[in-house]
Amino acid sequence: HYHPSFFVPMKYTFVVDKETCFAHWAQCLVRWSWFFEQYQYNHYRALAEPWSKEEDAALDRLRALLEREGYGYLWLWSRYANRSIDNKEDEAVWKEIRDALANKFNAAWSLEEPLLRAWKNVLESHDDAALEGVRNAIARFLHVGDLMDTNSVESKLVFRHHTRLPAGHAHERFPNTIILGVSRVKTTDECIERVLNVYTHELTHLMFHRTQTPGELLGAAYRKVIEPKNFSIPGDAKWKYLLMESLLRSISSHRLDTYAGRMGARGRESASASDAKETAALAVSEIRGNREALIKKVASRAEPIVSEYLDAGRPMDEDLCRRIALYWVDLLEEIENLPPRAAVG
């Protein structure tokens, strides 16, 4: 027995905020982290050619700020959440960056803002009843229960140079803010479904961090199943991230071959099947060292058992987490047994 308002806000809030969009656009133009996307950089860099020395210097200052150890990502999220800057020196640097890049950004903003406003209208008018039930099932699965509330979660819509696949971000220290990259994504039924599933994925991240139980269960599975194997970490990631992300992407992601994708498909079965076929076709020999592809492969293998738990209303437990860890072991052992890559040249 559960209340349908465990976590899902009574009214979804989708926001088009110029300051948030500036911060997101500016970081797209800087190679500063592992989630840097080259095609986003290529597009927004070319869109604003030519770049002056002053403008490039401003991007260099932004990179230096974001690359501070243990600081940059949280600093960026504070900009997404419109928080004030306490450090006067950083505040002055940020103003210099904004002033130097204002003309470049305003040119992009004039193109992207109407698209973001269109998406805001689509999302606020969409009947989301099916996915609302899915999100409450996820809350039970993640041991959230009555710890969840109906506080407003604000979804900031930002630039995205992809016509089919949206992107999202959430951070445990900012439990009321989600970033959704949607501007250039087409507003077809399939793409709306994908955006709603990305939104659900980011809500799931916030749920995951609302209680310690999911992290503790995955940590125990890592220590028992993976740690004794002494695998090298694929793609320079952390095992905490790999296990969490493969679990959560089996539940919901921009792909529709997930629990949420199947439950909310409503006529999108062909897209779900297409996504599943694409994942199945990923050759193990082609994905070694590719963190995102490995996560996708494990999430696909885990989806049936995770969906069984969700359909039955069962909270995640030690046995489920052990099985997810074993999917990683099996995949990495397949990779270890591959013949060495042929030398190039």
Side-chain angles (χ1 to χ4, degrees), residues 23-129:
H24 187 267
W25 167 85
Q27 68 84 33
C28 283
L29 292 163
V30 174
R31 290 184 181 85
W32 71 278
S33 75
W34 59 265
F35 54 80
F36 172 78
E37 292 181 295
Q38 185 69 48
Y39 77 93
Q40 292 264 98
Y41 169 88
N42 291 345
H43 172 73
Y44 291 112
R45 180 81 188 181
L47 187 67
E49 291 285 4
W51 291 76
S52 68
K53 289 183 179 180
E54 180 188 10
E55 290 163 344
D56 279 333
L59 292 175
D60 288 339
R61 288 198 295 275
L62 177 59
R63 179 185 297 105
L65 198 157
L66 295 177
E67 286 180 344
R68 292 185 196 174
E69 185 67 29
Y71 183 79
Y73 195 51
L74 290 174
W75 190 92
L76 183 63
W77 264 92
S78 292
R79 306 292 73 72
Y80 293 163
N82 301 118
R83 295 185 182 178
S84 59
I85 301 175
D86 296 330
N87 183 305
K88 293 299 180 184
E89 184 179 338
D90 284 355
E91 186 178 33
V93 170
W94 184 235
K95 184 179 186 306
E96 290 173 8
I97 292 168
R98 290 173 61 210
D99 289 347
L101 299 176
N103 289 339
K104 288 283 191 281
F105 172 72
N106 286 334
W109 174 251
S110 68
L111 299 173
E112 304 285 329
E113 183 192 12
L115 301 175
L116 293 174
R117 301 240 173 246
W119 263 110
K120 174 180 164 68
N121 291 337
V122 166
L123 292 169
E124 288 183 339
S125 63
H126 191 74
D127 179 6
D128 202 22

Side-chain angles (χ1 to χ4, degrees), residues 121-186:
N121 291 337
V122 166
L123 292 169
E124 288 183 339
S125 63
H126 191 74
D127 179 6
D128 202 22
L131 276 176
E132 190 162 313
V134 166
R135 290 168 193 152
N136 287 304
I138 296 168
R140 297 196 302 279
F141 175 76
L142 293 174
H143 296 262
V144 169
D146 290 319
L147 293 176
M148 304 314 289
D149 55 39
T150 54
N151 285 345
S152 175
V153 174
E154 217 176 42
S155 293
K156 304 287 190 75
L157 306 184
V158 298
F159 301 178
R160 174 74 171 169
H161 185 60
H162 202 298
T163 59
R164 183 169 171 261
L165 301 180
H169 305 282
H171 196 288
E172 60 186 289
R173 296 197 191 179
F174 296 84
N176 301 105
T177 302
I178 285 173
I179 300 298
L180 286 178
V182 295
S183 62
R184 297 277 165 178
V185 178
K186 295 178 180 178

Side-chain angles (χ1 to χ4, degrees), residues 284-300:
V284 174
S285 60
E286 298 299 318
I287 64 175
R288 50 181 158 189
N290 183 330
R291 179 189 60 246
E292 294 303 306
L294 291 169
I295 291 171
K296 184 191 299 185
K297 198 75 168 175
V298 172
S300 178

Side-chain angles (χ1 to χ4, degrees), residues 230-248:
N230 291 316
F231 289 119
S232 60
I233 298 179
D236 194 31
K238 294 182 178 178
W239 273 112
K240 176 182 177 182
Y241 170 80
L242 296 173
L243 286 166
M244 174 185 69
E245 199 63 29
S246 54
L247 169 65
L248 299 190

